[in-house]
């Protein structure tokens, strides 16, 4: 689906990305992890064509990414940014309709087929009751769902998400990721997601990539990546790794310098 | 679920039709007002007489009425209409592109930049052999682009253009060009003084058909460009990155639209001087009435801007009759409090 070879990006002489190779298979749910400043966002900007890498090539379905026209590219790749959707004075329905833009010609003002599609997307994301409401009257969580509905209307083959859960409470976090997961399974969608939360990443992703200082440190299944030594090397914190009781995927707990209260009393006695 | 497409069409037809009728009524009423009494019905008869090219006897109007309506009043009223339309159009585009409800050619300093360009052309007579009657508009356009460049350059940060910094940059640029204007006036000859004076407040006195014909082509170009790019304008309100990821060529569209809006403003200013707040008030009111979709907002604002300035000019010439107020004073009188109101509302939203 997407192949990146030797992606290197410099900012003011500093290497932000250093020869990254990666391969995204169709239908895969790939998570991108790494500490602040490790180059995750820059990598995603390169892979979506927003920034040109200083070296390296990106192939999207066998064709060089930058040889696609803007609209062609937008038919293949959709991006859901961290901040979701700005509080714009448009109705939810109007905004979701904007997702159809890559498919509309300069003169096509008729949108009957697009309308059906938009209605379906509104139902699938469970926001059809909001369709006539103005986006700037909605809460942050609701706006994030509108943003997702807009990307669904875009019918991409690759969905790229840049920390979509940052500003959401756990209810909306779960809801959003479940929606994406079910969409991915239904449509054979390929998902590339930056997540800050290692536990969420382990729970939803098929495969994880770990970045440090612009280099790929580890990639593989969650069990292979989320190991105390690997995490310690990248983040400088040695976590405790346990199994998720339901899903059997690894989950981390943060260590503490402090002994627990009961232990403290025992040693004293 | 209601059909959004036909709703938008209905909205456009309803408001567009209403505003168009309102414009026809406003123009004929405005033409009939004045020292010589001419009723609106006669105004229409004169217009029909001239358009059909028949002699006045056929429609039963006297030569004097024809001369007053056709030579004196109609050009002035129509000029007010096309200038109002142009300023409203520029306002919609600036507000949409800068994602800022307070952007307007006057507040951004684009109008005063145009005025400086125009005054420079009048004072020096440069370029008259190349551009002919287009000299003043051409210089105004250069001034407008310069002002816009300065303002956006001053206000721009990595996070985009913030409302407060945009207004402050507008103040800076306005102050600077204002000083240039004052300087130009101080050194100009007595006979040019009159001509330059009116740029400071804007006026439609002594305007002729020629001026109307200068504005109309650019208004048409601006409206066409605006309508062709109205969907992109909608997408840009989502932000540059989301628009980019939907396949919009953000930089090209933005540059193209900024130049278009500056051009339309410059031409309007070159014939009428700096008239403020039309581009601020009109798009705002229309947005409240019919929604933010630029596909309806653009054409409706153009019509409403025309109606607004026709009445503004009526007030300007009838309030202190027989003396005249600059029309810019009238629009500022209505517009400045409105500006304050939007600013307060906007601040509430930010907090």
């Amino acid at each position: 689906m997407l192949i990146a070879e030797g992606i290197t990006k410099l900012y003011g002489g500093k290497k932000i990305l250093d020869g990254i190779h990666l391969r995204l298979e169709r239908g895969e749910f790939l998570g991108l992890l790494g500490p602040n400043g490790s180059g995750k966002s820059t990598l995603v900007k390169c892979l979506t064509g927003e920034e040109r890498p200083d070296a390296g090539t990106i192939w999207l379905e066998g064709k060089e990414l930058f040889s696609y026209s803007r609209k062609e590219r937008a038919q293949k790749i959709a991006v859901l940014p961290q901040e979701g959707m700005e509080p714009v004075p448009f109705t939810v329905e109007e905004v979701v309709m904007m997702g159809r833009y890559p498919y509309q010609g300069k003169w096509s003002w008729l949108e009957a087929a697009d309308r059906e599609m938009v209605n379906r997307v509104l139902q699938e994301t469970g926001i059809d009751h909001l369709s006539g409401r103005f986006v700037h009257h909605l809460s942050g969580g609701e706006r994030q769902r509108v943003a997702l509905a807009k990307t669904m209307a875009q019918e991409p083959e690759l969905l790229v998400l840049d920390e979509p859960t940052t500003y959401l409470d756990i209810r909306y976090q779960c809801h959003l990721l479940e929606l994406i997961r079910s969409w991915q399974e239904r449509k054979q969608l390929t998902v590339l997601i930056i997540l800050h939360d290692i536990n969420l990443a382990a729970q939803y992703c098929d495969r994880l990539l770990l970045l440090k200082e612009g280099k790929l440190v580890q990639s593989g299944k969650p069990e292979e990546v989320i190991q105390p030594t690997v995490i310690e090397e990248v983040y400088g914190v040695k976590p405790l790794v346990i199994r998720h009781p339901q899903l059997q995927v690894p989950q981390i707990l943060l260590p503490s310098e402090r002994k627990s209260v009961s232990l403290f009393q025992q040693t004293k006695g | 679920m209601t059909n959004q497409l036909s709703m938008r069409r209905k909205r456009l037809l309803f408001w567009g039709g209403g505003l168009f009728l309102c414009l026809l009524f406003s123009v004929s009423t405005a033409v009939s007002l004045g020292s010589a009494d001419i009723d609106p019905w006669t105004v229409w008869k004169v217009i029909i007489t001239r358009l059909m090219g028949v002699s006045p006897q056929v429609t039963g109007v006297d030569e004097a009425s024809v001369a007053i309506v056709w030579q004196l009043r109609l050009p002035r009223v129509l000029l007010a209409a096309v200038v109002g339309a142009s300023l409203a159009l520029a306002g919609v585009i600036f507000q949409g592109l800068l994602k800022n409800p307070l952007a307007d050619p006057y507040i951004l300093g684009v109008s005063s930049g145009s005025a400086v360009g125009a005054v420079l052309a009048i004072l020096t007579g440069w370029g008259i052999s190349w551009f002919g009657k287009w000299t003043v508009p051409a210089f105004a356009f250069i001034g407008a682009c310069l002002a816009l460049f300065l303002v956006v350059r001053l206000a721009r940060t990595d996070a985009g253009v913030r409302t407060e910094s945009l207004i402050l940059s507008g103040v800076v640029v306005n102050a600077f060009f204002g000083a240039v204007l004052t300087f130009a006036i101080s050194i100009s000859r007595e006979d040019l003084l009159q001509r330059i004076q009116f740029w400071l407040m804007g006026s439609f006195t002594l305007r002729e058909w020629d001026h109307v014909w200068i504005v109309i082509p650019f208004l048409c170009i601006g409206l066409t460009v605006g309508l062709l790019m109205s969907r992109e304008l909608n997408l840009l309100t989502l932000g540059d990155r989301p628009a980019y990821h939907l396949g919009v060529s953000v930089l090209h569209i933005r540059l193209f639209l900024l130049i278009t809006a500056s051009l339309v403003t410059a031409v309007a200013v070159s014939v009428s001087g700096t008239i403020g707040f039309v581009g601020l008030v009109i798009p705002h009111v229309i947005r409240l009435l019919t929604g933010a979709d630029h596909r309806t907002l653009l054409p409706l604002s153009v019509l409403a801007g025309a109606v607004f300035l026709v009445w503004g000019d009526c007030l300007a010439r009838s309030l202190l009759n027989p003396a005249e107020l600059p029309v810019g004073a009238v629009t500022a009188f209505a517009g400045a409090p409105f500006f304050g109101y939007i600013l307060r509302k906007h601040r509430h939203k930010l907090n």
Side-chain angles (χ1 to χ4, degrees), chain B residues 45-46 87 89 94 107 124 134 175 181 245 267 279 281-282 315 323:
Chain B
K45 278 199 271 196
V46 171
L87 293 174
L89 176 70
F94 282 133
I107 289 153
T124 60
W134 302 99
L181 273 178
H245 288 303
V267 172
V281 175
I282 296 301
L315 278 179

Side-chain angles (χ1 to χ4, degrees), chain A residues 42-107:
Chain A
T42 312
L43 178 59
V44 156
K45 279 182 183 167
C46 287
L47 295 178
T48 55
E50 205 175 318
E51 303 247 4
R52 254 175 205 278
D54 293 306
T57 325
I58 299 157
W59 305 92
L60 179 64
E61 297 196 319
K63 209 175 138 192
E64 223 271 81
L65 178 67
F66 288 96
S67 67
Y68 283 89
S69 78
R70 281 164 204 279
K71 283 195 175 181
E72 275 171 4
R73 194 198 57 226
Q75 291 175 12
K76 302 264 184 209
I77 306 179
V79 177
L80 187 68
Q82 188 172 23
E83 59 281 1
M85 162 115 1
E86 290 209 20
V88 291
F90 286 98
T91 64
V92 169
E93 199 185 3
E94 283 169 341
V95 163
V96 176
M97 184 57 97
M98 290 180 190
R100 299 303 297 162
Y101 176 77
Y103 299 92
Q104 292 164 341
K106 188 87 230 169
W107 300 96

Side-chain angles (χ1 to χ4, degrees), chain A residues 13-33:
Chain A
K14 195 169 172 268
K15 264 191 188 168
I16 303 294
L17 293 175
D18 190 358
I20 304 264
H21 289 268
L22 72 88
R23 230 189 136 84
L24 254 171
E25 303 297 339
R26 180 173 298 280
E28 191 177 26
F29 203 120
L30 181 72
L32 199 53
L33 295 174

Side-chain angles (χ1 to χ4, degrees), chain B residues 6-25:
Chain B
S6 74
M7 269 204 18
R8 195 177 74 227
R9 279 229 175 116
K10 269 185 207 153
R11 211 160 50 198
L12 189 58
L13 270 178
F14 174 77
W15 285 101
L19 280 168
F20 186 70
L21 289 179
C22 186
L23 180 61
L24 290 183
F25 168 76

Side-chain angles (χ1 to χ4, degrees), chain B residues 222-302:
Chain B
L223 188 58
T224 313
V225 168
L227 282 176
L228 278 176
M229 296 194 169
S230 53
R231 226 174 9 195
E232 282 80 2
L233 267 172
N234 286 346
L235 289 169
L236 280 173
T237 57
L238 297 176
D240 284 7
R241 288 187 65 195
Y244 177 83
H245 288 303
L246 282 167
V248 178
S249 357
V250 176
L251 275 178
H252 292 140
I253 298 268
R254 162 159 297 158
L255 192 67
F256 202 64
L257 280 171
L258 281 179
I259 290 176
T260 306
S262 305
L263 185 61
V264 169
T265 307
V267 172
V269 168
S270 73
V271 297
S272 65
T274 51
I275 299 169
F277 300 102
V278 181
L280 175 84
V281 175
I282 296 301
H284 210 86
V285 171
I286 298 296
R287 203 178 287 120
L288 278 180
L289 290 174
T290 68
D293 191 332
H294 287 88
R295 286 172 289 187
T296 48
L297 183 60
L298 266 168
L300 295 182
S301 295
V302 163

